[in-house]
Amino acid sequence: MQIKRTLLALLLTSSACLAQQPPASSATPAPTRETYLKLAGEVETALHSDVLGVWFPRTVDKQHGGFHSHFARDWQTLPSDGKFSVFQGRMTWVASQVVLREPQQKDAFLPIVRQGVDYLQNTMWDKQYGGFYWGLDDDGRITPDFTDHKELYGIGFCIYGAAAAYQATHDAKALELAQRGFTWTDKHAHDAEHGGYFEWLARDGTPVVPNAPSGRVDTNAIGPIGYKSMNTHIHLLEAFTELYKVWPDPTLRARLEEMLAIVRDKICVAPGVMNLYFTNAWQPIPDHDSYGHDVETAYLMLETDEVLHHTAGPATERMARMLVDHALAYGWDAKNGGFFREGTTFGKPEDTAKEWWVQAEGLNALLMMHERYGAQDPVYFQRFLEQWRFIQQHTIDSQYRGLYNLTTAEGTPLSNDKGSIWKAAYHDGRAFWNVSERLHHLAGDI
């Protein structure tokens, strides 16, 4: 009887949350070619005014190499926080995408791509033990803040940037660096017994073993040290996919197939949520649901499946849609538009702040769902319009340009720094490029 009451309560909670979502307005006309093209123009303007135009060339560090990350609201340079592997890899990827997607800017960005690769190869790569450092100071030295450990989240983004740089430049050294990064990672961190990767390694590549004799676990910026995480594995999936596009190596393909299955079938669970942390045997550790990672992973899984098999399979399609639908049911702000930060699987959002990357990934995922399922359900396009309106009115800083890192649910800025080691041009740049391309495809232009 107690179980029945619990299930009933969960169903009622679920229904209540779904009821918070107003149906797509019947007054909203079906999108036309002109609608798609108008939206594409707006997104492209934001891409150039609020992403590329503010980050470049000011992020290029001509003194120390690589990219500077710390900027004030008005884009004045703030004191350096050092050179973080994640930021360096992401900005190398973004510069490479400009070369690949913006032909008129190719000549201006090719030197930037090469600077990114040079920094990853000559400074970020550990010449003694191999692997990419988690972070260094501006002079290329190990610091107490970053330590000398190797973290696969950062290594993945270095591989991601180098692989994209090879696509942009056809420079063999960029491909060799990405291959070397994968080979080192696979040798030292692949879990042959349970699948996936050990994430936090000593400098020489030895995995750090979980140790919590008092019950308290040491953590870093990604999660509990010595355990596996959703966040690292979805971005390894992304990085390996980027490398596979230019290097269809059999071992790399096998790891991609393994990772896709792990993300889709172990990390993701019905009704469309993801566990954040796991033991090394993939036993989930209870924690919250991150709506932004849910919608981002929907895109990343579909991308990998399509690269591997030319079309996404039913299991990936089903889970991707469940992730977006659950995020809409529980993490969507029906009053203001946009996705909240996080909550529990069947409960109300517990962190209602709105982060720039969550809004950007939400925009991309909603239009992707509209392209796939819009003929049956208009809700995705309606939410896409609401999400874009929130970004235009609140996430974008109309005075100094660029995107605020964090706002309240209503859109009041909660932070002023426009750049940090965790905030690059990657989430919003990728989302705006993808959305622009998809809108033109929906309009019949491509």
Side-chain angles (χ1 to χ4, degrees), residues 17 19-22 328 331-340 349 352 354 382-383 386-387 389-390 393-394 408-411:
C17 288
Q20 293 175 9
Q21 300 300 317
L328 282 173
W332 179 258
D333 184 348
K335 179 181 179 182
N336 302 294
F339 287 99
F340 299 123
T352 60
K354 292 179 181 167
Q382 178 64 29
R383 299 293 174 263
E386 293 165 3
Q387 177 69 85
R389 185 161 57 246
F390 184 88
Q393 295 178 354
H394 303 293
T408 64
E410 295 75 22

Side-chain angles (χ1 to χ4, degrees), residues 57-68 83 88 91-92 95 109-123 165 169 171 173:
R58 61 168 48 90
T59 188
V60 178
D61 188 340
K62 296 181 179 178
Q63 180 180 357
H64 301 100
F67 302 99
H68 181 80
K83 294 295 195 295
Q88 301 305 311
M91 295 306 275
T92 302
F109 274 80
L110 275 172
I112 300 175
V113 176
R114 294 190 179 103
Q115 173 158 326
V117 173
D118 287 345
Y119 190 83
L120 294 176
Q121 181 177 50
N122 299 324
T123 305
T169 64
D171 186 341
K173 77 175 185 181

Side-chain angles (χ1 to χ4, degrees), residues 18 271-272 320-330 369 377 379-380:
L18 288 169
R321 189 174 184 182
M322 281 201 295
L323 287 172
V324 176
D325 285 349
H326 183 273
L328 282 173
Y330 290 91
M369 289 294 111
D377 192 342
V379 70
Y380 299 115

